[in-house]
Amino acid sequence: MKIELNGTAREDIATVAEAVAAVSEARRGLAVAVNGDVVPRSEWDRPLDEGDSVEILTATQGG
């Protein structure tokens, strides 16, 4: 199955949780959207569909 993860084509990811793990080991300070819709952490085990676009953002601090 092909998806897009942060602008890069991937074929080895089947769930939101797998996408998160591919981007970061952190489980806090992340925001996930699939096809532009925010996915709450409680739904990260949901499967992805062919062609989904997943964006994962990491919160950072600084001045």
Side-chain angles (χ1 to χ4, degrees):
M1 168 177 54
K2 292 182 182 180
I3 66 157
E4 186 174 294
L5 176 58
N6 288 351
T8 302
R10 299 286 298 257
E11 293 187 25
D12 58 334
I13 295 174
T15 67
V16 173
E18 288 177 12
V20 170
V23 172
S24 175
E25 291 181 12
R27 300 302 269 180
R28 305 198 75 169
L30 299 175
V32 180
V34 176
N35 300 324
D37 295 323
V38 174
V39 179
R41 187 179 318 270
S42 62
E43 296 178 18
W44 283 6
D45 61 343
R46 80 178 241 197
L48 296 169
D49 294 321
E50 179 81 25
D52 277 349
S53 176
V54 182
E55 295 291 330
I56 301 174
L57 305 172
T58 305
T60 58
Q61 297 185 64

